DNA sequence: AAGGCGGGGGA
DNA sequence: TCCCCAGCCTT
């Protein structure tokens, strides 16, 4: 191999970052790191990876844990289906493969939460199998290198990108090559500030030679943000607090929060109190309003959350509870996985 | 093919 | 503000 790819590999050997999951062959740890890094920056996932390895050194340890404990360890990282799928896949590996990580691409790809990218990454890095690992970095690098104008978020674009990645994959050390392309995308071929002057493959790069790096990759793109107004009812009785498990397909599935009255437009504090809006969720006899929090604004990818917390104290315990809610001791709050937003409120107002 | 799913950081 | 991150799953 005597083309730009050799320059890339040389550059990679000389400049690669020292990451906790580098120079490791244990497929379990490779898998864990890849799932953590889905749509997540290295810096953000770093400590989570170390924590998971420490708490669950093997796939059997992970499978033996409760889902809530796994979610708790994942708390704050986002995209919680990753944690639920990780836990489910650990069970699969223990039951179907006797705790030994499957070594075939199709078997890896069939695990919950493992798509084409992750399966390719595990197969090539942990098992030295000849599969590409095409992530956002790779698509940005290749689209610039070859001047590809097919939108990368279209079915066609992904197909084209994958075929290209298969063609370019060297026969030897596919895992190293895959990581080299990704590393280039993460360190040099940046989205808005590409460092072309220090790029090992600039002389082969279409976008560099045409000075239009920022035109790539092409995307169809479209993100609309929905506003949601969450009026949380926080009910405390002595040393207990009422929480509930979030179940639906909505955000934070599997995590806990409080009974909530939700609207798609703002509702004033005064109206909320005057209309005793909490009765839409939980029927209370004589609640005592202890505190109304300021508005917490929480910006997510697809929705903007405006949350306010109404802290009520129940003196004479007559009420009808929402079906999914239950009492826990305030001191046990830390054992339940909660969204970032709820965690902020709890630390500030409940545990203070 | 399109939309949902978190949270953080950089421009 | 908007974009993007070592994507995946459901509809």
């Amino acid at each position: 191999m005597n083309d730009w790819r050799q320059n890339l590999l040389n550059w990679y050997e000389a400049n690669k970052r020292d990451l906790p999951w580098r120079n490791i062959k244990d497929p379990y740890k490779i898998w864990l790191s890849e799932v953590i890094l889905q749509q997540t920056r290295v810096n953000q996932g770093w400590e989570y990876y170390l924590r998971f390895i420490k708490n669950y050194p093997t796939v059997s340890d992970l499978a033996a844990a409760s889902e809530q404990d796994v979610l708790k360890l994942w708390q704050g990282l986002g995209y919680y289906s990753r944690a639920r799928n990780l836990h489910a896949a650990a069970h699969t590996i223990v039951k179907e493969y006797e705790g030994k990580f499957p070594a075939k691409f199709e078997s890896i790809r069939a695990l919950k939460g493992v798509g084409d990218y992750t399966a390719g990454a595990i197969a090539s890095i942990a098992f030295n199998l000849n599969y590409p690992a095409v992530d956002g970095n790779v698509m940005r690098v290749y689209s610039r290198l070859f001047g590809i104008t097919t939108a990368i978020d279209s079915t066609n674009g992904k197909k084209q990108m994958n075929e290209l990645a298969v063609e370019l994959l060297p026969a030897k050390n596919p895992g190293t090559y895959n990581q080299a392309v990704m590393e280039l995308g993460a360190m040099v071929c940046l989205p808005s500030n590409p460092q072309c002057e220090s790029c090992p493959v600039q002389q082969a790069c279409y976008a560099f030679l045409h000075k239009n790096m920022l035109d790539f990759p092409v995307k169809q793109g479209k993100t609309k943000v929905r506003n949601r107004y969450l009026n949380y009812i926080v009910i405390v009785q002595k040393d207990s607090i009422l929480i509930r498990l979030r179940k639906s397909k909505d955000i934070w599935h599997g995590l806990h929060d409080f009974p909530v009255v939700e609207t798609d437009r703002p509702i004033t504090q005064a109206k909320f109190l005057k209309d005793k809006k909490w009765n839409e969720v939980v029927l209370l006899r004589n609640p005592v309003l202890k505190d109304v929090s300021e508005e917490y604004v929480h910006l997510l990818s697809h929705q903007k959350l405006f949350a306010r917390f109404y802290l009520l104290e129940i003196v004479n315990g007559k009420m009808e509870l929402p079906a999914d809610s239950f009492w826990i001791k305030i001191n046990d709050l830390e054992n339940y996985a909660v969204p970032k937003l709820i965690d902020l409120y709890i630390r500030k107002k409940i545990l203070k």
Side-chain angles (χ1 to χ4, degrees):
Chain A
M1 184 172 57
N2 193 14
D3 51 28
W4 57 269
R5 290 177 296 176
Q6 190 58 57
N7 291 358
L8 171 61
L9 289 171
N10 294 343
W11 170 87
Y12 177 65
E13 286 309 319
N15 296 284
K16 64 182 173 188
R17 291 169 289 181
D18 190 16
L19 307 176
W21 48 86
R22 283 261 161 88
N23 309 314
I24 281 183
K25 280 301 173 188
D26 184 349
Y28 164 65
K29 293 178 181 173
I30 303 292
W31 168 51
L32 176 63
S33 72
E34 291 301 340
V35 173
I36 286 177
L37 292 175
Q38 288 167 5
Q39 292 294 285
T40 304
R41 308 206 179 225
V42 164
N43 284 343
Q44 195 186 354
W46 190 297
E47 290 301 322
Y48 283 87
Y49 172 81
L50 296 178
R51 267 196 271 158
F52 266 83
I53 293 300
K54 186 174 179 181
N55 281 270
Y56 310 123
T58 70
V59 65
S60 303
D61 297 316
L62 176 59
S66 72
E67 184 185 273
Q68 192 59 207
D69 281 348
V70 175
L71 281 168
K72 184 68 190 179
L73 211 54
W74 198 272
Q75 180 176 310
L77 198 52
Y79 283 151
Y80 297 94
S81 65
R82 291 184 292 171
R84 299 196 309 271
N85 289 334
L86 191 75
H87 187 234
H91 277 282
T92 301
I93 294 170
V94 167
K95 293 178 72 174
E96 311 270 329
Y97 303 100
E98 296 164 352
K100 190 169 163 55
F101 205 97
K104 279 181 53 189
F105 179 87
E106 289 74 17
S107 306
I108 299 169
R109 178 64 178 81
L111 295 171
K112 281 194 178 183
V114 175
D116 287 334
Y117 162 74
T118 304
I122 297 172
S124 64
I125 298 172
F127 297 106
N128 204 36
L129 299 173
N130 284 293
Y131 292 90
V134 182
D135 71 340
N137 287 313
V138 175
M139 290 193 282
R140 185 171 56 255
V141 169
Y142 284 173
S143 68
R144 285 173 176 167
L145 262 173
F146 300 101
I148 294 171
T149 54
T150 315
I152 62 168
D153 53 352
S154 67
T155 304
N156 213 334
K158 285 181 193 133
K159 181 164 171 281
Q160 185 179 336
M161 202 54 81
N162 204 60
E163 290 169 357
L164 177 60
V166 170
E167 282 179 39
L168 292 172
L169 191 69
K172 296 183 68 173
N173 302 322
T176 302
Y177 174 81
N178 284 336
Q179 293 182 81
V181 183
M182 289 189 278
E183 191 81 348
L184 187 73
M187 305 293 290
V188 175
C189 196
L190 305 175
S192 61
N193 248 349
Q195 311 288 302
C196 299
E197 65 280 4
S198 56
C199 178
V201 298
Q202 60 164 233
Q203 288 312 313
C205 180
Y206 175 95
F208 175 74
L209 297 175
H210 290 78
K211 302 193 188 311
N212 62 348
M213 294 83 68
L214 298 190
D215 292 343
F216 303 97
V218 174
K219 292 192 178 182
Q220 305 179 140
K222 53 187 157 282
T223 41
K224 36 179 181 275
V225 175
R226 169 170 69 124
N227 286 351
R228 296 173 71 173
Y229 300 86
L230 305 171
N231 302 281
Y232 276 112
I233 318 298
V234 184
I235 304 178
V236 169
Q237 189 173 34
K238 295 180 192 155
D239 58 350
S240 295
I241 188 168
L242 192 68
I243 67 171
R244 61 142 185 175
L245 175 64
R246 295 186 65 95
K247 288 178 178 167
S248 62
K249 293 170 189 161
D250 202 353
I251 55 172
W252 303 329
H253 176 105
L255 277 64
H256 294 81
D257 61 358
F258 307 111
V260 64
V261 176
E262 180 174 348
T263 54
D264 55 2
R265 60 185 65 252
I267 178 170
T268 66
Q269 215 183 106
K271 180 172 176 54
F272 190 86
L273 294 174
K274 176 171 174 293
D275 294 353
K276 298 188 188 305
K277 281 288 186 181
W278 53 75
N279 283 332
E280 293 178 11
V281 177
V282 47
L283 287 173
L284 302 174
R285 201 55 56 89
N286 293 309
V288 179
L289 181 65
K290 301 293 286 188
D291 184 63
V292 181
S293 77
E294 74 272 34
E295 190 171 59
Y296 289 66
V297 182
H298 203 71
L299 186 60
L300 303 179
S301 302
H302 304 284
Q303 30 191 304
K304 188 171 184 179
L305 306 179
F306 302 84
R308 198 182 292 283
F309 297 85
Y310 295 84
L311 177 60
L312 302 175
E313 190 170 283
I314 302 305
V315 181
N316 200 342
K318 284 278 190 178
M319 67 185 84
E320 286 181 37
L321 302 183
D324 294 340
S325 68
F326 56 96
W327 293 100
I328 65 165
K329 299 295 186 191
I330 291 177
N331 288 336
D332 286 338
L333 267 175
E334 58 183 318
N335 296 323
Y336 293 83
V338 299
K340 196 76 180 177
L341 178 63
I342 304 298
D343 192 53
L344 285 176
Y345 172 78
I346 289 175
R347 290 182 186 287
K348 184 168 181 181
K349 297 284 197 173
I350 304 295
L351 299 179
K352 63 173 181 300

